[in-house]
Amino acid sequence: MQLPSRDLPFEVPKYSLTGDVLSFQRCGLQYRYYNRSSLPPSRPVQLWTGEFVHGVMEEAFLYWQLHQPSFPWPCNQTPWGEFLKPTDRCDYDLGVLGDRVETRLRASGKTPRNKNARDAAYRRVEAAMTLLAPDLFPLITAVEEKLSSTRSMPIANSRGDRYELTGIVDVISSVSLATHQNNPLVQMINSQIPGLSGQFDVIVDYKAARRPPMTPPQNVKPYWQHEAWQVQTYAWLRAQQPNRNPVKAGILIYVNELSPSQSDLNDLKTEISEGQTDVQPSSGSADYYALNTWQTGQGLSTPNFTINFLRQRAVRIVSVGDIEINQAVAQIDEVISQIERCALQENAKGHIPNHWNADGGAGDCDACDFRRFCPSPAQRRQPGKQPRPLQPPIAPG
Ligand code: SF4
């Protein structure tokens, strides 16, 4: 008697919205080496800031949910180079929450680039907790929510006829226009997406980055569009789950805008002069005066912007109607088909660089481990050329 052999296990190809889709959109070849070969970055510091900001905001919300201490919270960070010591700081001191997150990151080999990068991350988290958390936290119903669903594989002759799309949403907020009408975040949603009514969910995503330009300069990727598609696709993923409120808006929070660095401010000035940004101080306002009298230079302070201007720069409302969601998931399908096509060609020909686009934008190549042998145009990697850094690498999640 012949025993039947068991079929090989069939796996549905799985793609993460951040780890695969956004990484491939950043640079195809870099994605191939880091994500599909599981090569760790030689400088994991690149991931530290994003994961630190996400981690502290989550720790802070979980503490607030249980104890609800009033805002603002103290921030006494452990001095640079010192490890956890007994202190008299309170449980919700952002320095204490930060220590906890830093310990976790250190255990996975992630440390800040230097003292300035660490100080900036603490400054930004403190600003987010002071300027946004009092309005955001009361709306939150879930944090770090994992979402997944399957979609038809967009190309033929691939590894399957469906693929699984996954994502982790930083925050889900439940909004009722009747009860939250005085909340400034809800007012921003209401003013930018007319016609909303009743109860609905909002997807919130923290970005440890500055607000990208709407029309990017040459050699800078269209992060503005990519990030909107990300939130709109989260909305599609959530709509696949049963018994959910409809998602009617997304909020992207650009944490760097709450405490901008000198290079952030120089980029802002350039974007204003070239008409590339959607939020700028109105002519003659205190913020306009502060920005235009500000001088760049070591040791000089940054302008004293009004809280309203900082919030307007930091908070971006994304519309997530049916049309936008359909357009976004079509774009995600297109990225998946490109990745599958590259993988099939590499598999057939056995050569990596010829089949994955080496198309990193400004800032990506500087920090890339593969630039020494990358076939991208040589001028991108000239030693003296300083493309402006725009976005840090993507933190998982
Ligand atoms: S050097 Fe630039 S183009 Fe080449 S792989 Fe790295 S990010 Fe991509």
Side-chain angles (χ1 to χ4, degrees), residues 90-158:
C90 66
D91 291 348
Y92 58 94
D93 191 307
L94 296 173
V96 172
L97 303 182
D99 280 345
R100 208 175 293 156
V101 176
E102 283 197 79
T103 303
R104 284 204 304 265
L105 293 175
R106 205 178 295 120
S108 56
K110 292 167 192 156
T111 52
R113 179 177 289 111
N114 51 35
K115 180 178 182 303
N116 287 347
R118 179 175 181 260
D119 288 348
Y122 271 96
R123 242 187 8 256
R124 286 163 177 165
V125 161
E126 185 182 9
M129 287 299 299
T130 304
L131 302 179
L132 293 177
D135 300 321
L136 178 62
F137 282 7
L139 301 176
I140 294 178
T141 48
V143 290
E144 296 288 307
E145 182 153 310
K146 292 190 171 84
L147 301 173
S148 86
S149 188
T150 60
R151 293 184 57 76
S152 294
M153 181 61 83
I155 64 166
N157 303 325
S158 188

Side-chain angles (χ1 to χ4, degrees), residues 47-90:
L47 295 171
W48 184 86
T49 305
E51 294 193 26
F52 176 80
V53 168
H54 281 78
V56 176
M57 294 305 290
E58 186 188 352
E59 290 278 340
F61 171 71
L62 294 175
Y63 189 92
W64 179 86
Q65 201 176 27
L66 285 179
H67 307 284
Q68 308 214 341
S70 56
F71 296 101
W73 293 10
C75 183
N76 297 295
Q77 78 190 72
T78 305
W80 171 251
E82 293 185 22
F83 294 119
L84 302 175
K85 285 178 169 179
T87 67
D88 55 3
R89 296 175 296 182
C90 66

